[in-house]
Amino acid sequence: LKERPVKLMCIVLCILSFGLLNAQHTECSCSKNIDFMMAELQDLSPSYDIIDDKQAFIKRADSIKNIAQNDSNQYNCLKYVNMVLRPIQDGHLKVYPKRNVDFKDHKSVNEFLNSIKFTNSKIEALDVATVDSTATYYSYNDKITILIKEYEPNNYYGIVIESKSKFWRKGEVVLDFQKKANYFEGVRYSITKDPYFYRTQTFERLLKNFRVSKFPKEHLGIFNRTEEKLSIKILDNKILYVSIKSFKNNTKEENDEFQNFFSNIVLPNYKLYDKIIFDVRDNSGGAMAYTLFFKDLKKIKTKKTIYVLQNRQTASAGELFIIDLKKMTPITSFGENTAGMTAFRDLKAVHLPCYNYFLWKPIKKLNRKFRDYLKYEHNGIDADFELKENDNWLEKVVNELNNS
């Protein structure tokens, strides 16, 4: 009888110990996300496979993990996991948060506005009287005006100086970036206060990734185009204008829509006109639904003058359209360099163990010649002629065609 309390105590201690160990095991941390992601990269990630010095990559990931361990703000984890991925030559490869607010739902919006994540977002003291107009920018995603301010040598903040949005407050930090020896890197905070990490070679490219401009959105020629996914027009009675805003092609109905558009609408007009504009601005990709159309174009021997409009949001299959068209016939491109997502395909979403993040991971190479496309990853395709943000892009190209 005397042994029973001792045995009972041992059982209780064992249960408590197991519970403590299990709690430690299941405790969320950014380190856990990084470890999980590193293991995931080694499984069916073709872009990880081609890293020359994997030991150096792993060492760098460990150093970022150590920084993350000392950061008490769990919301910064998104920044750290994407910093780990950045050296990999794969523009598709990113970690995203599951959106924590439904902007169409009033209750969801109010919950977010009262959340710790929103109320704790960084606010800086700012003397509006000292604002330098040459350093002010506009966000073309949100209704805010930003001051980009060097607060320490080579360290910059983008701070809200005017807001017409309930999701941004005056003095709130939107951008936080640094100038390094031969590149720029930093963080853009989204409307949901999630930090997105970027690294670029030039200040101008960084600002494009940050989605800010010297001009308000309504003045930006980047976006002066139709909202239709597929459309065609005849301009000045002599120029065929073809707008392809998406290659999204997930169903039989969508595939039929593309085949009908290219074969029955674009192709007959392509034969009739000698001057053609293909507009793939904002085309973030999808399936390569243009391949059959290009086979038909090869059969047409009449020389055509072909211009292409592209911008920073032209990505993936949108970029491959430009590359493949250029292989087939001489083209001239206008706009700005594209997003840089060309060498890998077949994206898979993998959920990370903590903070409701998912890894967007390509699992296949584009084709046997995928290495030819690596030079575009992260860098994008340069335009032959760069257009200013506040130009009317379509008008500029039409004038060029009329004068050619």
Side-chain angles (χ1 to χ4, degrees), residues 117-133:
K117 189 175 184 181
F118 180 80
T119 55
N120 281 7
S121 52
K122 195 171 183 178
I123 300 285
E124 290 290 312
L126 182 67
D127 183 2
V128 179
T130 65
V131 170
D132 178 2
S133 61

Side-chain angles (χ1 to χ4, degrees), residues 21 25-26 30 52 73 130 174 182 185 203 236 241 248 259 264 294 303 319 323 330 332 334 336 347 361 391 397:
L21 288 170
H25 179 70
T26 57
C30 197
D52 291 329
N73 186 350
T130 65
V174 176
N182 56 357
E185 69 177 13
F203 179 70
D236 293 353
Y241 170 76
K248 185 181 177 184
Q259 298 309 321
N264 300 328
F294 278 10
K303 186 178 179 182
E319 294 173 290
I323 295 169
T332 305
F334 291 79
E336 57 191 13
L347 301 183
K361 180 182 79 167
D391 284 337
V397 172

Side-chain angles (χ1 to χ4, degrees), residues 97 112 142 167-168 172 174 188-196:
F112 172 68
D142 312 312
F167 299 100
W168 293 107
E172 193 169 353
V174 176
R188 170 182 66 85
Y189 292 90
S190 72
I191 199 169
T192 53
K193 313 309 171 189
D194 293 301
Y196 287 85

Side-chain angles (χ1 to χ4, degrees), residues 269-398:
N269 282 285
Y270 186 93
K271 293 174 180 177
L272 292 175
Y273 295 90
D274 294 330
K275 298 181 178 182
I276 296 108
I277 299 171
F278 286 108
D279 189 345
V280 286
R281 286 176 293 170
D282 308 338
N283 188 323
S284 59
M288 294 166 68
Y290 58 83
T291 50
L292 291 176
F293 172 60
F294 278 10
K295 286 181 180 178
D296 290 330
L297 292 193
K298 286 181 180 179
K299 300 172 186 176
I300 300 172
K301 302 304 179 183
T302 309
K303 186 178 179 182
K304 309 287 183 178
T305 303
I306 298 177
Y307 285 1
V308 171
L309 267 169
Q310 61 184 57
N311 68 3
R312 67 196 71 169
Q313 292 181 196
T314 306
S316 197
E319 294 173 290
L320 295 174
F321 178 89
I322 298 169
I323 295 169
D324 290 344
L325 184 63
K326 193 179 293 188
K327 287 177 182 177
M328 190 178 60
T329 184
I331 68 170
T332 305
S333 57
F334 291 79
E336 57 191 13
N337 55 319
T338 59
M341 304 178 184
T342 56
F344 306 98
R345 63 184 182 88
D346 288 16
L347 301 183
K348 177 184 177 185
V350 181
H351 288 272
L352 301 188
C354 294
Y355 311 142
N356 227 352
Y357 294 161
F358 64 92
L359 172 68
W360 202 236
K361 180 182 79 167
I363 58 174
K364 289 184 180 178
K365 299 166 185 172
L366 177 66
N367 54 39
R368 287 179 296 175
K369 296 183 178 179
F370 79 99
R371 289 184 182 275
D372 295 343
Y373 298 84
L374 286 175
K375 61 186 176 184
Y376 303 118
E377 292 296 323
H378 290 303
N379 300 314
I381 305 164
D382 292 333
D384 295 318
F385 294 94
E386 190 166 333
L387 299 177
K388 295 178 182 178
E389 287 185 308
N390 63 327
D391 284 337
N392 185 316
W393 286 18
L394 184 56
E395 186 179 278
K396 283 271 183 182
V397 172
V398 169

